[in-house]
Amino acid sequence: MMYQSMVVYPSEAIQDWSCCGKMANELTRSMGLTGGSSATMVSTVLNELIENAMKYSVMDSLPVRIQWGVTSNGFEAKITNWSTKIQAKRTLNFIRFVRNTINTNGYIRYLYKQATSKSPHSKMGLMGICHDYPVILQARMGGIPTESSLCQITITVGGDREEGSAIC
């Protein structure tokens, strides 16, 4: 699969959060999706992941890399940002949690916990895209210099262009 790629900086998004949605819409159009539920799904998923990469980047001056492409029956995108190793491990663990609970009663308990929490970091966006859309979400840490507390984290999302049940 051929990926298209772009690099953006968190400082660009922080000044105007709507740019994440605009980027997601443009990436969706570049995949040949211009309307309907498939385009809405892909754009919504990409917007959430781009916003998270910008929000959780450790420094505004370190790049966020976005790669995307079309597969034979769907799409795939990879969003890579710089994070602390601690935050990256939290993200990896949360994605494992989402994958293990999305179709169980644990999902309902998590929703209730978040609804009653005062934390500004609910991570409901990741949970929501896995619940609402037929996507596969994965994460990996990479580029870990041993002398640094920073690392790269890549979130990969892929799915069919047709809507169905979530397969996170």
Side-chain angles (χ1 to χ4, degrees):
M1 175 173 65
M2 291 288 289
Y3 281 105
Q4 295 182 60
S5 181
M6 67 186 294
V7 173
V8 294
Y9 291 87
S11 59
E12 297 168 5
I14 292 169
Q15 294 172 16
D16 180 12
W17 282 106
S18 69
C19 76
C20 295
K22 291 173 187 171
M23 276 189 277
N25 290 339
E26 285 302 314
L27 300 181
T28 302
R29 277 193 279 284
S30 76
M31 290 184 213
L33 299 171
T34 56
S37 60
S38 294
T40 300
M41 174 195 72
V42 173
S43 182
T44 301
V45 169
L46 291 176
N47 180 59
E48 182 64 34
L49 296 177
I50 292 168
E51 282 184 0
N52 280 351
M54 300 296 183
K55 185 175 14 178
Y56 292 110
S57 287
V58 72
M59 295 170 70
D60 291 346
S61 60
L62 292 174
V64 172
R65 182 180 178 136
I66 304 167
Q67 297 173 285
W68 69 97
V70 177
T71 63
S72 60
N73 61 343
F75 75 100
E76 184 173 286
K78 297 179 180 186
I79 294 101
T80 303
N81 66 295
W82 285 90
S83 175
T84 64
K85 290 178 185 176
I86 293 169
Q87 180 62 40
K89 288 178 183 175
R90 283 183 189 144
T91 301
L92 290 171
N93 289 334
F94 184 74
I95 288 175
R96 281 188 202 108
F97 168 77
V98 169
R99 292 176 72 177
N100 291 331
T101 62
I102 198 66
N103 294 315
T104 69
N105 287 337
Y107 175 70
I108 301 301
R109 285 192 299 275
Y110 182 80
L111 289 177
Y112 177 77
K113 180 181 172 187
Q114 293 309 311
T116 59
S117 171
K118 296 189 188 308
S119 171
H121 303 290
S122 70
K123 297 186 181 165
M124 287 304 297
L126 291 177
M127 186 69 84
I129 63 173
C130 285
H131 181 267
D132 296 343
Y133 299 110
V135 296
I136 297 171
L137 193 62
Q138 299 174 326
R140 70 173 174 79
M141 290 172 56
I144 305 171
T146 55
E147 68 280 352
S148 173
S149 65
L150 303 182
C151 67
Q152 289 181 319
I153 184 160
T154 300
I155 306 293
T156 303
V157 64
D160 293 336
R161 289 187 247 186
E162 301 302 320
E163 288 198 57
S165 61
I167 55 173
C168 212

